[in-house]
Amino acid sequence: MKIYKKRDFPVSDVRRLLEPGPVVLVSSAFKGERNIMTMGWHTMMEFTPALVGCIIAESNHSYELVRRSRQCVINVPTVELARQVVQIGNCSGARVDKFAKFKLTALVADEVGAPLIAQCYANFECKLADRRLRDKYNFFIFEVVKAHAAVAPKYPKTIHYRGDGMFMVAGRSLNLRRYFRPEML
Amino acid sequence: MKIYKKRDFPVSDVRRLLEPGPVVLVSSAFKGERNIMTMGWHTMMEFTPALVGCIIAESNHSYELVRRSRQCVINVPTVELARQVVQIGNCSGARVDKFAKFKLTALVADEVGAPLIAQCYANFECKLADRRLRDKYNFFIFEVVKAHAAVAPKYPKTIHYRGDGMFMVAGRSLNLRRYFRPEML
């Protein structure tokens, strides 16, 4: 599988990759255990600090790793990984090491203990910023403290979940800059 | 502009249209005033009740209408409305009636006072479910209490914002049902 060559990416720009709504892979680690989960329910909440809110349900094996470490990495996969993204979401880290099972390369992160997935287009290192809605909704608010992204292609072919086993693959680009007020870009 | 012919849509299925991450139009009304805003920061939070969390910044004219009415409609536009979606986000409802300015048809909703936008592919009538994060993050949690969606096309060409004036148009469909455990669809 392709390993994307990445550079540091401004954390204030993570919206460029998350706002379109891709399915992501969340990697986590705690006390020698590590895991990956597939996650589709997330939203940007602020540019600076770069806040991302997301649902990590208690039924996921990753929940305890994230809750206890208060960290994770949000990895953005592209269509080449689509089958693995589904299969990662359809097995439990309680029984398998998903890095080994899916032949994914774990890289050491700069700011968090959770590993980066080398085969993903981008990796966002996250620290817990607010857990106020965690117990009621399984909703975590993370701050992206360090970001890495591939330089090419400029617009990755991310995958977006429609439910019922169907995904939408990121399509053509549309430049509507001319209709924006500059401060609204 | 095309007016989509719609049917009632199960509220437990709104994830099919929101989870892929489209830019949406939020319509609102309060005491004889109405408005539309463009919104890109939202996430599903629960299937049943159908909860959607989203950021409606205080700087938007719609903020007060939503805050005071505790209701809104989340409308899902398709690529035919792309220019209007941008322009709606780049002018203020304090100065113009956006329905008139952008020749959009306001339809009466069933459950809320905010109008539906007839030219959008789907309309989700929402009532405020939780405002706990409103003051700190401008984050509202709504319950979708009634949903309407077009029957065709099955997969709408939604638009997804990448920042900097660039949009991604929903691309091809990918059926990965065979890799799912049935209960995970």
Side-chain angles (χ1 to χ4, degrees):
Chain A
M1 270 176 302
K2 178 181 178 176
I3 289 192
Y4 280 102
K5 197 176 165 184
K6 272 159 264 190
R7 287 204 196 139
D8 288 354
F9 186 76
V11 292
S12 57
D13 282 351
V14 297
R15 71 92 65 101
R16 296 191 181 204
L17 293 166
L18 291 182
E19 188 169 332
V23 172
V24 298
L25 296 173
V26 174
S27 47
S28 55
F30 187 69
K31 290 199 176 168
E33 197 183 350
R34 64 187 187 180
N35 198 23
I36 312 173
M37 67 171 276
T38 299
M39 195 250 289
W41 290 7
H42 58 80
T43 181
M44 289 301 305
M45 294 184 71
E46 185 55 272
F47 290 103
T48 307
L51 298 182
V52 180
C54 62
I55 302 280
I56 296 177
E58 252 184 291
S59 53
N60 290 291
H61 187 68
S62 295
Y63 179 88
E64 279 298 310
L65 304 185
V66 173
R67 187 182 71 80
R68 297 175 78 177
S69 67
R70 296 165 166 252
Q71 301 180 339
C72 72
V73 175
I74 295 175
N75 304 274
V76 182
T78 48
V79 67
E80 297 82 1
L81 282 181
R83 182 174 54 80
Q84 289 88 336
V85 166
V86 173
Q87 290 174 328
I88 286 167
N90 278 262
C91 67
S92 172
R95 282 181 290 277
V96 291
D97 176 346
K98 298 192 193 180
F99 280 95
K101 183 177 170 77
F102 297 106
K103 299 185 172 52
L104 296 172
T105 310
L107 300 176
V108 175
D110 292 334
E111 305 279 344
V112 301
L116 315 174
I117 302 174
Q119 285 82 2
C120 285
Y121 179 89
N123 315 106
F124 302 142
E125 302 183 23
C126 296
K127 293 186 177 175
L128 186 67
D130 194 323
R131 59 177 186 177
R132 226 178 313 174
L133 296 189
R134 186 194 67 194
D135 292 345
K136 183 157 185 194
Y137 300 105
N138 292 324
F139 189 71
F140 293 77
I141 302 177
F142 292 109
E143 178 180 349
V144 180
V145 294
K146 172 88 187 177
H148 316 260
V151 181
K154 187 169 183 189
Y155 300 120
K157 291 235 168 283
T158 48
I159 57 173
H160 303 248
Y161 192 48
R162 294 193 191 276
D164 205 28
M166 297 297 296
F167 289 80
M168 174 272 279
V169 183
R172 68 186 173 93
S173 293
L174 192 60
N175 182 340
L176 297 178
R177 212 170 286 151
R178 62 193 178 282
Y179 299 116
F180 277 81
R181 298 206 315 266
E183 72 274 20
M184 301 296 279
L185 286 165
Chain B
M1 267 177 305
K2 177 179 178 177
I3 288 190
Y4 280 101
K5 196 176 166 184
K6 271 160 265 190
R7 288 204 198 139
D8 287 355
F9 187 77
V11 293
S12 57
D13 282 351
V14 297
R15 71 90 66 103
R16 296 190 182 205
L17 293 166
L18 291 183
E19 187 169 332
V23 173
V24 298
L25 295 173
V26 174
S27 47
S28 55
F30 186 69
K31 289 199 175 169
E33 197 182 350
R34 65 187 186 180
N35 198 22
I36 312 173
M37 68 171 274
T38 299
M39 195 249 289
W41 290 8
H42 58 80
T43 181
M44 288 302 304
M45 295 183 70
E46 187 54 273
F47 290 103
T48 307
L51 298 183
V52 180
C54 63
I55 302 280
I56 298 178
E58 252 185 293
S59 53
N60 291 291
H61 186 68
S62 295
Y63 178 87
E64 280 299 311
L65 304 185
V66 173
R67 187 183 69 82
R68 297 175 77 178
S69 67
R70 297 166 166 251
Q71 301 180 339
C72 71
V73 176
I74 294 175
N75 305 274
V76 181
T78 47
V79 66
E80 298 82 2
L81 281 182
R83 183 173 54 79
Q84 289 88 335
V85 166
V86 174
Q87 291 175 327
I88 285 167
N90 278 263
C91 67
S92 172
R95 283 181 290 276
V96 291
D97 176 347
K98 298 192 192 180
F99 280 94
K101 183 178 170 79
F102 297 106
K103 299 185 172 53
L104 296 172
T105 309
L107 301 176
V108 175
D110 292 334
E111 305 280 344
V112 300
L116 314 175
I117 302 175
Q119 286 82 2
C120 286
Y121 179 89
N123 316 106
F124 303 141
E125 303 184 23
C126 296
K127 292 186 178 175
L128 185 68
D130 193 322
R131 59 176 185 178
R132 225 178 312 173
L133 296 190
R134 187 194 67 194
D135 292 344
K136 182 156 186 193
Y137 300 105
N138 292 324
F139 189 72
F140 293 77
I141 302 176
F142 293 109
E143 179 182 349
V144 180
V145 293
K146 172 90 188 176
H148 316 260
V151 181
K154 187 168 182 188
Y155 299 121
K157 291 232 168 285
T158 47
I159 58 173
H160 302 248
Y161 193 48
R162 294 193 190 275
D164 206 28
M166 297 299 295
F167 290 79
M168 176 272 279
V169 183
R172 69 186 172 93
S173 293
L174 192 59
N175 182 340
L176 297 178
R177 211 170 287 151
R178 63 193 176 281
Y179 298 116
F180 278 81
R181 297 207 315 266
E183 71 274 21
M184 301 296 278
L185 286 166

